[in-house]
Amino acid sequence: MLTIIVAIVLAPFLVVISTSLATPEEVIAKGGWVVWPDQISFAAYQQVLSGDVVTRATTVSLLVTVVGTFLSLLCTVTLAYALARPGVFGGKPVLLLVLFTFLFPPGIIPSYLVVQNVGLLDSYFALILPVLVNAFNLVVMRGFFQGIPDELYEAARIDGAGDLRILVRIVLPLSKAVVAVVGLFYAVSYWNSFFNAILYLNDSSKWPIQAVLQQYVTQGAQLADPSVAESASRNAPHSIQMAVVVLALVPIVCVYPFIQRHFVKGVMTGAIKG
Amino acid sequence: MLARRVRTAMVEDPAPARVRGASRRQRLRRDLTLVLLMLPALAYFLVFHYGALAGNLIAFLDYVPFLGITGSVWVGFDNFSEMFRDPAMWQATWNTVQISALQLLFFFPAPLGLALLLHSLTGGFVRKFVQSVVYLPHFISWVIVVALFQQVLGGAGVLNGMLGDHGLSTIDVIGNPDMFKPLVVGQVIWKDSGWGMIIFLAALHQVDEQLYESAAIDGAGWWRRLWHVTLPALRPIIALLLILKLGDILSTGFEQIYLQRASVGPAAAEVLDTFVYFTGVANGDWGYAAAAGLFKGVVGALLVYSANKVAHRLGESGVYR
């Protein structure tokens, strides 16, 4: 039973990776997809990466992911830390303000208007600022911080450390697991998001990889890049499409094993206390 | 508590402990660093959540972007009454509810079943391996998931290729309006069953082993132990997740539907979220779309709230309190 489940989960990945690595002739001969390539060829990757569109989109995605994850973690850690301290000034109303967003998330239209009014349309920051802090991640992190024994705060305060120093020197080093997991959640959501790009960036040359992939693979559009489009129609378009899919997949699969072991620890502490 | 208060009071300390009863100004001075640390994220919530919430005002306007909120004409509830008469909006609501019901029926039990299956495994390595594999799809973007499904189930995909090789008739899954809803639910099951399992696995860990042992001594078989020991232990978490799902009944995953709407057409695939997007952003009918979005938001909030109340009635702790 479990073998079947594992196979169902992994099979699509195998087909996509194999197809992207097969020679164009093999892909055509086998009717568009390959389970195990007879001969490995990186031609599809060379074609994809020789054009402007995919390389540029990958760079945009990487930058947005790195900058976004950093800013998100910064804002989430600071608010979670402040809200984790009992009796902090303004703590209760601010927490309520955050929790209410669970009950009533803003809709697409009003969010669009805010982004427009703040002047973020067609800016890369439109991919970051509207999703800067995730309330769920915040609650997870606050729960983790609350689990740190009070005695540590007291001891540090007696030693003359201020609140900022306690955060940097004591709380953060104890919270590596939760910071790693929440960081992964943010990074994955930045890397995977395509809709905000379509919504907020009219200029499609600014689009990240997932938005380009969306155009190219799921809508069947040609890449707006003559060199790739031409060779794509000459050769097997499938191996090229699948190469783009694999490129969009690689960062996730690379980071995943390192952070995976923290999942349960990091998420459950927060969720139970939440 | 008292001892700690006395101790900290005795030490002359630059940032006194957080004692109740201090005046507001004193507390602000004492917590100034923390308050400053709150500001960036607080500003985010105020601008992008509460600013957007205020933007719902345009649901009551004949909103023209060029004229802005102050320049557009106030029309009261006209957008809403137009909405209630609009068959497209009811079609979208119906599709949404259908997909949610299918998810409740087929996707909701999937993580639980997977958790029970995995929990019965004793081998540490196999278990870790299976866990790593089934969590993975949760982190794959919808764009890629849709591409994977097209590759496997599409007209020229793996499934039809294999059927054709064996002389069987091919089946049209992708691009077939009748298959759209089962397809969408199947994708969710593939993507998130493993991830949804985590929370059940953690709850299963906390079940007292002695309960199983005494049940076994009393002659309870696997099914009876499941029914009398495991499921009662999981009841609070099942109730909690059910509440969250019920509150979410009008949201069916915007990105997933948006990506596949074109291939089957709006009659089968339009859900409330895509309806709002296409009438508002794509067709420029801003006020009307905002009204539909606000309607969805209010009903959703009421659903979460009442589901929570019901859970309290039943003696579960629910999402908040």
Side-chain angles (χ1 to χ4, degrees), chain A:
Chain A
M1 186 70 190
L2 280 171
T3 327
I4 300 174
I5 292 172
V6 169
I8 291 175
V9 172
L10 290 182
F13 293 105
L14 176 69
V15 171
V16 165
I17 294 170
S18 302
T19 307
S20 75
L21 286 174
T23 56
E25 294 76 28
E26 191 184 352
V27 175
I28 293 173
K30 290 194 174 166
W33 49 272
V34 176
V35 177
W36 197 257
D38 296 335
Q39 195 188 339
I40 288 185
S41 129
F42 290 97
Y45 290 93
Q46 278 167 359
Q47 278 179 5
V48 165
L49 292 175
S50 66
D52 272 352
V53 175
V54 174
T55 15
R56 194 191 147 95
T58 312
T59 320
V60 169
S61 281
L62 281 175
L63 279 177
V64 167
T65 303
V66 171
V67 175
T69 305
F70 173 75
L71 291 177
S72 289
L73 271 180
L74 190 72
C75 295
T76 309
V77 165
T78 48
L79 183 58
Y81 170 68
L83 290 181
R85 309 296 294 274
V88 62
F89 180 85
K92 270 201 180 133
V94 171
L95 184 65
L96 276 180
L97 220 61
V98 171
L99 292 181
F100 183 72
T101 62
F102 275 125
L103 200 61
F104 207 102
I108 296 173
I109 304 291
S111 299
Y112 182 88
L113 291 181
V114 169
V115 171
Q116 193 180 32
N117 281 323
V118 182
L120 284 177
L121 283 188
D122 266 327
S123 149
Y124 289 122
F125 278 98
L127 305 183
I128 296 175
L129 295 182
V131 288
L132 188 65
V133 181
N134 177 297
F136 174 77
N137 288 343
L138 184 84
V139 169
V140 166
M141 206 171 256
R142 172 173 172 266
F144 193 92
F145 289 163
Q146 281 174 327
I148 295 174
D150 271 351
E151 285 72 18
L152 283 174
Y153 291 100
E154 301 286 341
R157 205 178 294 117
I158 288 168
D159 288 345
D163 287 318
L164 190 60
R165 219 178 143 85
I166 296 179
L167 172 63
V168 176
R169 287 290 167 83
I170 293 172
V171 173
L172 281 184
L174 288 173
S175 313
K176 279 179 197 143
V178 77
V179 171
V181 171
V182 168
L184 173 81
F185 288 166
Y186 277 127
V188 166
S189 77
Y190 280 117
W191 179 263
N192 280 347
S193 86
F194 75 95
F195 185 69
N196 281 351
I198 291 174
L199 191 58
Y200 299 135
L201 306 182
N202 291 318
D203 179 1
S204 63
S205 70
K206 288 183 174 171
W207 280 3
I209 184 84
Q210 303 281 349
V212 169
L213 187 64
Q214 183 265 152
Q215 285 274 298
Y216 185 42
V217 178
T218 63
Q219 317 275 27
Q222 293 290 345
L223 280 182
D225 187 340
S227 69
V228 176
E230 245 173 59
S231 45
S233 52
R234 259 191 288 116
N235 293 320
H238 248 92
S239 51
I240 298 202
Q241 287 181 353
M242 293 308 120
V244 182
V245 172
V246 174
L247 282 179
L249 200 60
V250 159
I252 303 278
V253 178
C254 288
V255 182
Y256 179 73
F258 296 102
I259 310 218
Q260 201 251 115
R261 62 203 166 94
H262 294 304
F263 278 166
V264 178
K265 202 173 147 207
V267 175
M268 290 313 294
T269 35
I272 288 169
K273 295 245 173 62

Side-chain angles (χ1 to χ4, degrees), chain B residues 61-79:
Chain B
L61 302 176
D62 179 15
Y63 182 72
V64 183
F66 174 70
L67 298 173
I69 288 185
T70 44
S72 297
V73 182
W74 180 267
V75 294
F77 284 90
D78 281 7
N79 286 324

Side-chain angles (χ1 to χ4, degrees), chain B residues 116 212 221-232 234:
Chain B
L116 291 175
Y212 286 111
W222 191 84
W223 278 108
R224 306 235 358 216
R225 269 177 288 170
L226 175 72
W227 186 254
H228 290 293
V229 181
T230 313
L231 286 182
L234 293 179

Side-chain angles (χ1 to χ4, degrees), chain B residues 214-295:
Chain B
S214 33
I217 289 169
D218 288 347
W222 191 84
W223 278 108
R224 306 235 358 216
R225 269 177 288 170
L226 175 72
W227 186 254
H228 290 293
V229 181
T230 313
L231 286 182
L234 293 179
R235 210 177 64 178
I237 194 76
I238 294 176
L240 181 84
L241 293 176
L242 208 55
I243 292 167
L244 287 173
K245 182 62 212 154
L246 284 176
D248 241 17
I249 214 156
L250 294 182
S251 317
T252 34
F254 176 82
E255 296 195 335
Q256 181 195 9
I257 309 279
Y258 170 86
L259 285 166
Q260 300 175 91
R261 177 181 174 271
S263 64
V264 293
E270 194 83 286
V271 294
L272 278 173
D273 284 327
T274 54
F275 177 77
V276 169
Y277 170 74
F278 283 102
T279 44
V281 181
N283 288 348
D285 204 345
W286 294 93
Y288 181 56
L294 184 59
F295 171 69

Side-chain angles (χ1 to χ4, degrees), chain B residues 37-76:
Chain B
L37 286 176
M38 284 187 206
L39 287 182
L42 185 61
Y44 160 76
F45 279 106
L46 288 179
V47 172
F48 288 98
H49 282 263
Y50 290 89
L53 222 51
N56 274 311
L57 192 68
I58 71 161
F60 303 95
L61 302 176
D62 179 15
Y63 182 72
V64 183
F66 174 70
L67 298 173
I69 288 185
T70 44
S72 297
V73 182
W74 180 267
V75 294

Side-chain angles (χ1 to χ4, degrees), chain B residues 101-121:
Chain B
L102 284 174
Q103 283 189 358
L104 207 58
L105 221 56
F106 295 101
F107 170 60
F108 189 78
L112 179 58
L114 203 56
L116 291 175
L117 206 61
L118 211 63
H119 191 66
S120 62
L121 271 188

